[in-house]
Amino acid sequence: MERHCGSGSGAESKAVVSFEAAGLGVVFIGALRNNAEAVAHELQLPPQTSVAFGLTVGKPDSSRSTFIKPRLAQSQVLHHERYGAPNEETAVARYDKIFLGRVVS
């Protein structure tokens, strides 16, 4: 039996392209790793396996508005040699304002 490790070596990206080509929408669920043992138990995964990510697939509801979740600028999250970014507090405050203004309760 062949065994693989890692996140699929790009297999997830190929799956997404295929789903989207078929008119389906997808959303990655990276938070499954936050409680990997509980997820593995719930899915009844075999021993020595783990969840790398989740992927929901479905038909998008065109009547609901959507948006792409904002991200911090690369200059704020890419660090060289040491942690810290210029104007970090200002950038995070700007991100929070944008993100919190878009979140729908």
Side-chain angles (χ1 to χ4, degrees):
M1 176 166 72
E2 190 174 342
R3 296 187 183 264
H4 299 278
C5 62
S7 66
S9 303
E12 66 277 5
S13 297
K14 292 173 185 170
V16 167
V17 169
S18 296
F19 287 129
E20 289 178 342
L24 297 170
V26 298
V27 176
F28 281 96
I29 308 173
L32 291 178
R33 296 180 307 235
N34 296 347
N35 200 348
E37 285 186 34
V39 172
H41 177 75
E42 181 68 25
L43 297 176
Q44 299 179 2
L45 297 180
Q48 299 180 342
T49 62
S50 183
V51 173
F53 64 90
L55 184 66
T56 60
V57 180
K59 186 172 180 180
D61 183 351
S62 60
S63 69
R64 295 184 67 178
S65 64
T66 61
F67 68 94
I68 296 174
K69 182 179 174 183
R71 301 283 190 235
L72 283 167
Q74 184 181 41
S75 62
Q76 300 301 309
V77 297
L78 178 62
H79 307 282
H80 298 281
E81 304 301 328
R82 63 174 58 147
Y83 182 82
N87 306 313
E88 182 175 7
E89 288 182 24
T90 303
V92 170
R94 183 173 44 245
Y95 167 84
D96 287 344
K97 184 177 179 182
I98 292 168
F99 183 72
L100 294 174
R102 292 223 180 233
V103 173
V104 177
S105 340

